[in-house]
Every structure is written in structure tokens, then in C-alpha cells.
Amino acid sequence: MTTLTARWFRCPRPLPHAALRLFCLPYAGAGAGVFHPWPAALAPGVEVVGVQLPGRENRIVEPAEIDLTELAAAVADAAAADSRPYALYGHSLGARLGFEVIRSLRRTGAPLPVRLYAGAARAPHLSGSDTFDGLSRVSDDELVARVVAGGGVPEAVAGEPELLELLLPTLRADFAWLDDYVYQPEPPLPVPIVAFAGTLDRAVSTEQMAAWEQHTTAGFVLHHVDGGHFFLQDRLPDLAPLLSADLVAAGGEL
């Protein structure tokens, strides 16, 4: 990988002969490390690549602001350097980022993924009463209280004030990106979208997840996972078979 892609991606288990790569975008405040358990859970022919946003883990010394243009360029660079098909999984904030990355790739003529997987994120054209709207503009105490109340951080973190304090700059930057986001209508994507909704998610409703259907001309599926907003971690044994089955369909026999 080039220097650009090396900064943006973390591959916990390199599989150079895998048939397909899955680039995974994390939720607000998180880093690529949340996807480290995924290689062992998914189909063996999938190489899992965590997207490392700035300001976290090995990029902790960088400002946490998200540069969508650079992120899209990194994905395009990685796709151009490897002929294997790839897919994008984004969770919460990551799903919105993944959607905009694909639209950017389409505008520049870069190779598109074979799937967009959207987990626990309302469709990008929807606005209004999201549990986490406006969080970048409130005090630290209110930000933490609302994120915890809405299930916006894992329980293990919510109970550790020191961890929350360390997360604050990154959370604020991530929610600033979401608060500043303005959906611009474009033609639907020529990429199938598979959405995953947590049945106990307090932040995102099934209806908000179902609305992703209007953003693709290539097919849409909505799966329900018996869990809350962080089913990608709490209910990985339930999510992984659904994801693996679709990845096999997307990339052929893996």
C-alpha cells in the first residue's frame, strides 16, 4: 500500500489471496480497532480492512477532523492498486461516510464497490429528530449525557468517565461532521445497498433504515439484528452470517 493508504487502513489479518476485501468505516469516536474481531467471524475468503479515521489509535496525534476528499482518494488509491473486488461496510457515522465516498468515487470515475453495507444509520436524505443531532454544539457534559442516554457509546465506555474524557475531542469532531452534513440530491447509486437495523436501537428506527432503498438502482435488502445500536460488536455472531452470505453472493464463491 502507498503512504496514503497506509495511513487510512488497518488490516488485522492480511489475506492477499482472498477473493474480496471489505473496507469497514467505524461509528463516531471509534477507530479501526472495533473491526479486529471480524476476520475470525466472517467468511474465510474476505479480507477485512478497517478504515482508520484521523485522531484515533495510531493516528491519535492528528486532528480528528474528517476530510472526505482525502478519504475517498485513499479508497480509490487502494482499489486501483488491487484488482480484487471490494465492498464497504459503514456503521452509524461510517455508513454516511461510506455513502458519500461512493458518490465521490462515481464522480471521479474510480472503481466502485460491489456493495454498500449500512449499519445503524438513518438514510442520508433524512433530517430532523435524530437522537444525536446538534451534539457538536452543546457543552461537554450535555454531549456525554446525550450520547450515553441514546446508546451512542458502548456500555463499557459509558461507565468509564476517563475514557469518555479521552473520547470527547474525537466525538465532537465526528458529530460536527454530521451536524454540518447537507444532503445534495444525486442519481441513485448503481451499487446494491444492504442495510442492517438493530431491533433495540434507540437512535435509529427501522423506518429510517428502510429509507436507504431510494439511494440505489441495483437492489436493496434490509436485515434486522436482535440488538441495540452497537450490534456490530454486541451481536457479531448474529450479524456475521448475514454479512458473510451476502459477501459470497457479491464476490462469488469466496
Side-chain angles (χ1 to χ4, degrees), residues 66-132:
I66 295 169
D67 186 331
L68 184 66
T69 300
E70 188 179 354
L71 171 57
V75 173
D77 193 33
D82 193 311
S83 60
R84 289 178 293 172
Y86 73 99
L88 289 180
Y89 178 94
H91 199 85
S92 196
L93 163 75
R96 184 73 55 84
L97 287 172
F99 173 73
E100 288 298 339
V101 162
I102 297 174
R103 299 214 297 179
S104 178
L105 296 175
R106 176 172 61 179
R107 289 191 291 269
T108 60
L112 299 181
V114 296
R115 289 287 193 279
L116 170 61
Y117 297 107
R122 71 184 185 201
H125 66 285
L126 298 180
S127 61
S129 58
D130 189 282
T131 304
F132 305 128

Side-chain angles (χ1 to χ4, degrees), residues 51-67:
V51 177
Q52 192 70 289
L53 300 174
R56 55 212 89 195
E57 297 178 2
N58 63 304
R59 300 185 68 183
I60 191 68
V61 298
E62 301 178 43
E65 287 79 9
I66 295 169
D67 186 331

